[in-house]
Amino acid sequence: MSDQTGVSVQQIVEKVWLSIAERRLRPGVQLKEEQMATIFNVSRARIRQALALLQRDGLVAIIPNRGAFVCKPSVEEARDVFFVRRTVERCVVERLCKGISKADIKRLRDHVAKERIANTQDITTDIIKLSGGFHLLLAETVGSDFLFATMRDLISRSSLITAVYRNTNRFNCGPDEHAEIVEAIVGNDADRATHLMAHHLEHVESELDLTEIRDLSHDLRAALA
């Protein structure tokens, strides 16, 4: 099958990621190449590329002779991911507090403004994308490829974990706490910035019910619609 649409590999990856983050696609569901190729009207080769990227980000497990499946994070993995996030994000804000350009300050403030709009209009997809995007933008601003790649992986895994274990339908990684972190960084106040970040991540983790995997949709077509 040749590609019949302009849907890119990255757009397929984002669609699957958002379907997981929005709790429409359950852990353990098989991502069948043929079915996905039909859904997106692209070749199976393009689907395989997307699945490889999703595997890299820890969202999909590709099992030889069986296929690709949405990962099932354990409770232990969930706790480990947030422990590592606290460590890495502390490093990020400490680095930023040593010096940040006016252009980067504007980028961070503009991002928070977009988050406020998404929250006001209650646009779930934008809320999820921008919330994770804020933490990724912080890492990008540091200018370390290693920190950026590490945060990209952690944010992807966090999205899967929150989709599985969140005990509320409301995704609450809000702009108010992000704004406070930004202003602490702008003021070069490393103690306050690291404290705010730790509190913020504890807030997000406190909304997880680390006792059971919730039963989300098995229907791949419905989840990716």
PDB file of all heavy atoms in Angstrom, residues 189-201:
ATOM      1  N   ASP A 189      16.484  32.457  41.755  1.00  0.00           N
ATOM      2  CA  ASP A 189      16.273  31.913  43.096  1.00  0.00           C
ATOM      3  C   ASP A 189      16.213  30.388  43.009  1.00  0.00           C
ATOM      4  O   ASP A 189      15.140  29.791  42.909  1.00  0.00           O
ATOM      5  CB  ASP A 189      14.976  32.480  43.683  1.00  0.00           C
ATOM      6  CG  ASP A 189      14.806  32.153  45.158  1.00  0.00           C
ATOM      7  OD1 ASP A 189      15.482  31.218  45.640  1.00  0.00           O
ATOM      8  OD2 ASP A 189      13.991  32.824  45.826  1.00  0.00           O
ATOM      9  N   ALA A 190      17.380  29.760  43.050  1.00  0.00           N
ATOM     10  CA  ALA A 190      17.461  28.307  42.853  1.00  0.00           C
ATOM     11  C   ALA A 190      16.732  27.539  43.962  1.00  0.00           C
ATOM     12  O   ALA A 190      16.085  26.528  43.681  1.00  0.00           O
ATOM     13  CB  ALA A 190      18.920  27.871  42.790  1.00  0.00           C
ATOM     14  N   ASP A 191      16.837  28.013  45.202  1.00  0.00           N
ATOM     15  CA  ASP A 191      16.175  27.314  46.309  1.00  0.00           C
ATOM     16  C   ASP A 191      14.662  27.291  46.099  1.00  0.00           C
ATOM     17  O   ASP A 191      14.014  26.248  46.254  1.00  0.00           O
ATOM     18  CB  ASP A 191      16.499  27.987  47.642  1.00  0.00           C
ATOM     19  CG  ASP A 191      17.936  27.728  48.085  1.00  0.00           C
ATOM     20  OD1 ASP A 191      18.542  26.769  47.567  1.00  0.00           O
ATOM     21  OD2 ASP A 191      18.429  28.483  48.937  1.00  0.00           O
ATOM     22  N   ARG A 192      14.101  28.444  45.747  1.00  0.00           N
ATOM     23  CA  ARG A 192      12.650  28.518  45.543  1.00  0.00           C
ATOM     24  C   ARG A 192      12.239  27.727  44.302  1.00  0.00           C
ATOM     25  O   ARG A 192      11.241  27.007  44.319  1.00  0.00           O
ATOM     26  CB  ARG A 192      12.212  29.978  45.401  1.00  0.00           C
ATOM     27  CG  ARG A 192      10.714  30.124  45.112  1.00  0.00           C
ATOM     28  CD  ARG A 192      10.231  31.560  45.267  1.00  0.00           C
ATOM     29  NE  ARG A 192       8.870  31.732  44.791  1.00  0.00           N
ATOM     30  CZ  ARG A 192       7.791  31.318  45.430  1.00  0.00           C
ATOM     31  NH1 ARG A 192       7.916  30.685  46.583  1.00  0.00           N
ATOM     32  NH2 ARG A 192       6.575  31.521  44.938  1.00  0.00           N
ATOM     33  N   ALA A 193      13.010  27.842  43.238  1.00  0.00           N
ATOM     34  CA  ALA A 193      12.665  27.160  41.984  1.00  0.00           C
ATOM     35  C   ALA A 193      12.664  25.644  42.175  1.00  0.00           C
ATOM     36  O   ALA A 193      11.752  24.952  41.711  1.00  0.00           O
ATOM     37  CB  ALA A 193      13.642  27.551  40.877  1.00  0.00           C
ATOM     38  N   THR A 194      13.690  25.109  42.852  1.00  0.00           N
ATOM     39  CA  THR A 194      13.750  23.657  43.058  1.00  0.00           C
ATOM     40  C   THR A 194      12.648  23.192  44.007  1.00  0.00           C
ATOM     41  O   THR A 194      12.077  22.113  43.830  1.00  0.00           O
ATOM     42  CB  THR A 194      15.117  23.225  43.601  1.00  0.00           C
ATOM     43  OG1 THR A 194      15.438  23.972  44.789  1.00  0.00           O
ATOM     44  CG2 THR A 194      16.204  23.460  42.560  1.00  0.00           C
ATOM     45  N   HIS A 195      12.327  24.029  45.016  1.00  0.00           N
ATOM     46  CA  HIS A 195      11.240  23.689  45.937  1.00  0.00           C
ATOM     47  C   HIS A 195       9.905  23.655  45.195  1.00  0.00           C
ATOM     48  O   HIS A 195       9.100  22.727  45.381  1.00  0.00           O
ATOM     49  CB  HIS A 195      11.174  24.706  47.079  1.00  0.00           C
ATOM     50  CG  HIS A 195       9.954  24.552  47.944  1.00  0.00           C
ATOM     51  ND1 HIS A 195       9.834  23.548  48.880  1.00  0.00           N
ATOM     52  CD2 HIS A 195       8.784  25.268  47.979  1.00  0.00           C
ATOM     53  CE1 HIS A 195       8.643  23.643  49.466  1.00  0.00           C
ATOM     54  NE2 HIS A 195       7.997  24.678  48.948  1.00  0.00           N
ATOM     55  N   LEU A 196       9.672  24.651  44.349  1.00  0.00           N
ATOM     56  CA  LEU A 196       8.423  24.709  43.595  1.00  0.00           C
ATOM     57  C   LEU A 196       8.296  23.537  42.632  1.00  0.00           C
ATOM     58  O   LEU A 196       7.212  22.958  42.475  1.00  0.00           O
ATOM     59  CB  LEU A 196       8.338  26.030  42.822  1.00  0.00           C
ATOM     60  CG  LEU A 196       8.079  27.290  43.659  1.00  0.00           C
ATOM     61  CD1 LEU A 196       8.266  28.534  42.792  1.00  0.00           C
ATOM     62  CD2 LEU A 196       6.670  27.268  44.259  1.00  0.00           C
ATOM     63  N   MET A 197       9.411  23.178  41.987  1.00  0.00           N
ATOM     64  CA  MET A 197       9.366  22.051  41.054  1.00  0.00           C
ATOM     65  C   MET A 197       9.080  20.749  41.791  1.00  0.00           C
ATOM     66  O   MET A 197       8.274  19.926  41.337  1.00  0.00           O
ATOM     67  CB  MET A 197      10.683  21.946  40.278  1.00  0.00           C
ATOM     68  CG  MET A 197      10.720  20.776  39.292  1.00  0.00           C
ATOM     69  SD  MET A 197       9.443  20.862  38.011  1.00  0.00           S
ATOM     70  CE  MET A 197      10.202  22.064  36.895  1.00  0.00           C
ATOM     71  N   ALA A 198       9.727  20.548  42.929  1.00  0.00           N
ATOM     72  CA  ALA A 198       9.491  19.331  43.717  1.00  0.00           C
ATOM     73  C   ALA A 198       8.036  19.253  44.152  1.00  0.00           C
ATOM     74  O   ALA A 198       7.391  18.194  44.061  1.00  0.00           O
ATOM     75  CB  ALA A 198      10.421  19.302  44.927  1.00  0.00           C
ATOM     76  N   HIS A 199       7.495  20.372  44.626  1.00  0.00           N
ATOM     77  CA  HIS A 199       6.095  20.422  45.059  1.00  0.00           C
ATOM     78  C   HIS A 199       5.164  20.137  43.883  1.00  0.00           C
ATOM     79  O   HIS A 199       4.158  19.414  44.022  1.00  0.00           O
ATOM     80  CB  HIS A 199       5.792  21.793  45.654  1.00  0.00           C
ATOM     81  CG  HIS A 199       4.340  21.986  45.996  1.00  0.00           C
ATOM     82  ND1 HIS A 199       3.761  21.397  47.101  1.00  0.00           N
ATOM     83  CD2 HIS A 199       3.348  22.684  45.362  1.00  0.00           C
ATOM     84  CE1 HIS A 199       2.473  21.722  47.142  1.00  0.00           C
ATOM     85  NE2 HIS A 199       2.206  22.497  46.109  1.00  0.00           N
ATOM     86  N   HIS A 200       5.496  20.695  42.725  1.00  0.00           N
ATOM     87  CA  HIS A 200       4.686  20.513  41.521  1.00  0.00           C
ATOM     88  C   HIS A 200       4.618  19.041  41.123  1.00  0.00           C
ATOM     89  O   HIS A 200       3.541  18.497  40.850  1.00  0.00           O
ATOM     90  CB  HIS A 200       5.285  21.347  40.388  1.00  0.00           C
ATOM     91  CG  HIS A 200       4.605  21.174  39.076  1.00  0.00           C
ATOM     92  ND1 HIS A 200       3.273  21.420  38.882  1.00  0.00           N
ATOM     93  CD2 HIS A 200       5.084  20.767  37.872  1.00  0.00           C
ATOM     94  CE1 HIS A 200       2.951  21.186  37.613  1.00  0.00           C
ATOM     95  NE2 HIS A 200       4.041  20.777  36.990  1.00  0.00           N
ATOM     96  N   LEU A 201       5.773  18.373  41.103  1.00  0.00           N
ATOM     97  CA  LEU A 201       5.794  16.965  40.714  1.00  0.00           C
ATOM     98  C   LEU A 201       5.109  16.092  41.769  1.00  0.00           C
ATOM     99  O   LEU A 201       4.450  15.099  41.428  1.00  0.00           O
ATOM    100  CB  LEU A 201       7.230  16.503  40.483  1.00  0.00           C
ATOM    101  CG  LEU A 201       7.928  17.149  39.278  1.00  0.00           C
ATOM    102  CD1 LEU A 201       9.379  16.705  39.201  1.00  0.00           C
ATOM    103  CD2 LEU A 201       7.199  16.821  37.975  1.00  0.00           C
TER     104      LEU A 201
END
